[in-house]
Structure formats: structure tokens, C-alpha cells
Amino acid sequence: MIKEEEKLRMIRYAVKSPSGHNTQPWKFVMEENSIIIQPDFSRALPVVDPDDHALFISLGCALENLLIAAAEMSYKAGISFGHKEDWMDIRVELEKSDAVEKDPLFGYIEKRQVTRSKYRTEKLPQNDLDELVKTSDTKDVVIRPFVTDEDIRSLLPYIVEGSDNQFKNKAFVNELVSWIRFSEKEVLKKGDGIWGASMGFPSVPRWLGKFIMKKIVSAKSEAKRWRKTIPLSAGLMMFSVKENKPEHWVRLGQAFQCFGLKSTQMGLKHAHVNMPLEEVGVRQKLMEGLNLQNETPLLLIRFGYADALPYSYRRKLNDLVE
């Protein structure tokens, strides 16, 4: 039987994963020789993620971290998906083995972060780009890099249109604001959400943060910000699934987490630019414009060189583990 402290250690690394608005929509059940990852739909984002694909992508990220941590502790892992009436869990069976190969990306789990600042204009060497794509490669997911100035500019109209649609939608803004933690006091209390400091914002009372987000930040100001920010990226990476269903969403999360860890190893930062893929109408335009067939793009990530910002917080394990 695996010791409880070993399973808890694996889970500590699993929860260092990214999730939409840092909602951390996962629960963990520890059994004798396994860990089950379950979706926590109380932390879903019904406005920006109505079909829960981003939630399951987050579970895939947590799964990948858990597998890497298990290998570091010399455990072989087997994965199976369990289907309930309206949801799916992920079972990880663990077996001690001296033959398990350790992953060099383990050391970057705690260093990786979503960095929402502007990036420097440096470009990524081609061999590094090839390695980045190779690391994230999986048979269920299509990975498309956009690294030339022309390719990056080709995505900008879709990014701006997606952002416009969202910031003109009061329900979207209200959902986003509900997950922003405007002060350190607030983030320490909650242990989740987007900490204002992790976006480079000063600490302000919640009433002032809400006023700024709802009265000063606008579709126009966001469009202006993206037109300045996107061209500074070393590139963008688009992740698509071959089948638009939960198992493939999880696989996409695993691929994205490998990308995040490898980019961290290379000294790169990354951040989500998902607006054109979250807005279904804009996503359809993008798919037609890029002539994408037999795949559904669900994740768009910008990457480049930048300094680190404060790290987002995570909830206590007692709230996550059964």
C-alpha cells in the first residue's frame, strides 16, 4: 500500500497546474494504490466555458503534473477514465518500480507560471521551437506554432474580435471580476482566483477593483492593449483536439502542461490568449480563415521572454482531498 504522505506529495505537485481564472476545479480521492482526479463543477465558469472543455483541460494539466511527480518518486502510473452519467473522472493506478524513468521537467513544476505581462521582442531559435513542439506532441492533439511576424499578425483580428465580444458582455465581466483577487488579504483568504499582483496591478480594495474593471476597463481599452501586446510575443501556440470530447480535452491539458514546463526550462514565459476560441462564432471564423479541418482549436497561448511576476496562490489540500 502506498503511504498517504507520498500520495499527498504527488497531489501537491498536481495542483501547481494552471486553470481558467485559477479556479482550481479539481478534487482528489486517495485509494489504497491509486489517486482519482474528479471535476469540481462548483468551480466551473458557465459564461466563458459553457461546455466545460477548459475545466477538463485543467484536469489534464493536473494529471500531467501528477504523473511527472509519481515518476520522480519511482512510481509507474496507469491511467483510465471512468464515466458517470454526466461527468468523467480520471483514475491513476500507482505501482512502485525502479525501472521508471524520471522526467527532467519535474524541477520546473513549481517554477512555471502564467505570466500576463508584456514580453520582450526576442525571437525563439528554431531548434528551441522544434523541441517545444516535440515535447508537447500527442496523437490526440494538434499543435500549431505561429512565430513569424506575419503569422502572429494574422491572429490579431480574431483575438481583438473575441476580446470585444467578451468585454461587451456584462455576464462575462461579472464572472471575471468574481474571480479576481484585488488584494493580498483577499487572495490569502480565498487561495484561488487571479491575484491582481500576478497581472502587475497594485493592491486595491475590492470595491475599487470592481469599479476599475466595470467602469474603466472596456472593450476598446482591451483591444488597444492586445494590439500592443501580441506583436511583442516570440510566438503563439494553438492547441486543437481531433475529437471534441472530454478525453481529448484532458489530453490537450497534458500536452499544454508539457509545453508550459518545457518553455519554463527554456527561460520562456507564457499566457493564455483564448478569447477567439472561447467565442464560438469567432472560433468558426478562425477555423475557416486558417482552413482547419477535422480538428477543433481550444487553446491559444502566447509565449516569449519576460521577468517573473508574483505567483498565484493555491487552496489548502484539506479542501481538495478525500
Side-chain angles (χ1 to χ4, degrees):
M1 186 174 72
I2 303 170
K3 293 180 181 178
E4 182 175 302
E5 54 265 34
E6 288 186 302
K7 287 179 280 190
L8 284 172
R9 185 183 173 206
M10 295 176 200
I11 294 171
R12 284 193 187 95
Y13 285 106
V15 301
K16 294 289 185 180
S17 304
S19 56
H21 297 352
N22 191 29
T23 58
Q24 303 167 46
W26 40 58
K27 296 182 289 186
F28 299 86
V29 179
M30 296 193 302
E31 296 188 346
E32 187 173 346
N33 291 306
S34 63
I35 297 172
I36 301 170
I37 306 174
Q38 296 180 336
D40 183 350
F41 292 111
S42 71
R43 294 179 161 268
L45 298 168
V47 178
V48 78
D49 183 32
D51 65 355
D52 293 318
H53 73 263
L55 186 152
F56 279 96
I57 289 171
S58 300
L59 298 190
C61 294
L63 170 63
E64 189 63 24
N65 271 3
L66 193 148
L67 296 177
I68 293 172
E72 183 69 18
M73 299 165 65
S74 299
Y75 280 97
K76 182 172 66 174
I79 307 166
S80 61
F81 296 106
H83 293 269
K84 307 296 181 182
E85 184 176 339
D86 56 356
W87 57 280
M88 180 188 81
D89 61 19
I90 307 163
R91 177 180 290 273
V92 181
E93 296 283 353
L94 299 163
E95 180 184 350
K96 198 75 172 180
S97 172
D98 294 333
V100 174
E101 184 177 349
K102 297 184 178 182
D103 195 319
L105 295 178
F106 172 77
Y108 297 92
I109 290 177
E110 294 190 296
K111 296 177 182 179
R112 184 214 60 82
Q113 70 168 177
V114 172
T115 308
R116 298 176 177 88
S117 60
K118 289 182 181 178
Y119 298 162
R120 298 189 288 273
T121 55
E122 303 169 46
K123 290 295 184 181
L124 188 65
Q126 184 62 47
N127 58 329
D128 284 356
L129 177 64
D130 294 342
E131 186 67 24
L132 203 52
V133 173
K134 179 183 175 182
T135 299
S136 312
D137 188 38
T138 169
K139 65 182 179 66
D140 297 324
V141 179
V142 179
I143 303 161
R144 296 180 181 278
F146 296 78
V147 292
T148 68
D149 292 340
E150 182 180 358
D151 284 346
I152 292 170
R153 282 196 301 270
S154 73
L155 294 177
L156 190 53
Y158 303 109
I159 292 169
V160 170
E161 184 178 356
S163 178
D164 277 348
N165 289 357
Q166 291 183 338
F167 276 87
K168 289 175 181 175
N169 181 351
K170 289 184 178 179
F172 167 83
V173 174
N174 287 336
E175 184 177 78
L176 173 62
V177 169
S178 73
W179 286 99
I180 296 179
R181 310 302 177 222
F182 294 101
S183 66
E184 188 168 10
K185 178 181 178 181
E186 197 174 12
V187 76
L188 284 171
K189 180 181 178 181
K190 297 281 190 178
D192 60 10
I194 307 169
W195 184 20
S198 72
M199 297 187 287
F201 297 164
S203 179
V204 297
R206 181 156 194 86
W207 67 266
L208 180 55
K210 288 174 68 176
F211 175 81
I212 293 170
M213 288 299 300
K214 293 186 177 184
K215 300 298 183 182
I216 297 177
V217 175
S218 65
K220 185 177 180 180
S221 68
E222 284 297 288
K224 182 179 179 181
R225 182 170 72 88
W226 288 121
R227 288 191 178 102
K228 288 183 177 180
T229 301
I230 295 302
L232 297 177
S233 306
L236 291 98
M237 199 75 77
M238 183 181 294
F239 295 79
S240 303
V241 289
K242 294 181 180 178
E243 295 184 51
N244 199 18
K245 61 182 185 180
E247 291 94 332
H248 284 239
W249 300 341
V250 170
R251 299 299 187 196
L252 190 155
Q254 290 184 263
F256 168 51
Q257 188 63 10
C258 289
F259 164 86
L261 296 175
K262 187 65 179 181
S263 62
T264 302
Q265 184 187 48
M266 292 178 169
L268 292 163
K269 302 299 181 185
H270 64 277
H272 296 69
V273 197
N274 272 351
M275 303 81 69
L277 307 183
E278 292 164 344
E279 294 291 308
V280 176
V282 182
R283 182 171 71 197
Q284 189 60 41
K285 288 182 186 178
L286 182 148
M287 291 170 66
E288 292 171 1
L290 297 179
N291 194 28
L292 301 183
Q293 299 177 355
N294 303 318
E295 63 183 87
T296 305
L298 295 178
L299 201 62
L300 183 62
I301 304 296
R302 66 184 174 102
F303 59 92
Y305 299 94
D307 296 328
L309 289 173
Y311 281 74
S312 297
Y313 279 68
R314 293 294 185 271
R315 292 186 291 154
K316 295 177 182 178
L317 287 189
N318 289 346
D319 299 329
L320 306 173
V321 178
E322 296 180 16

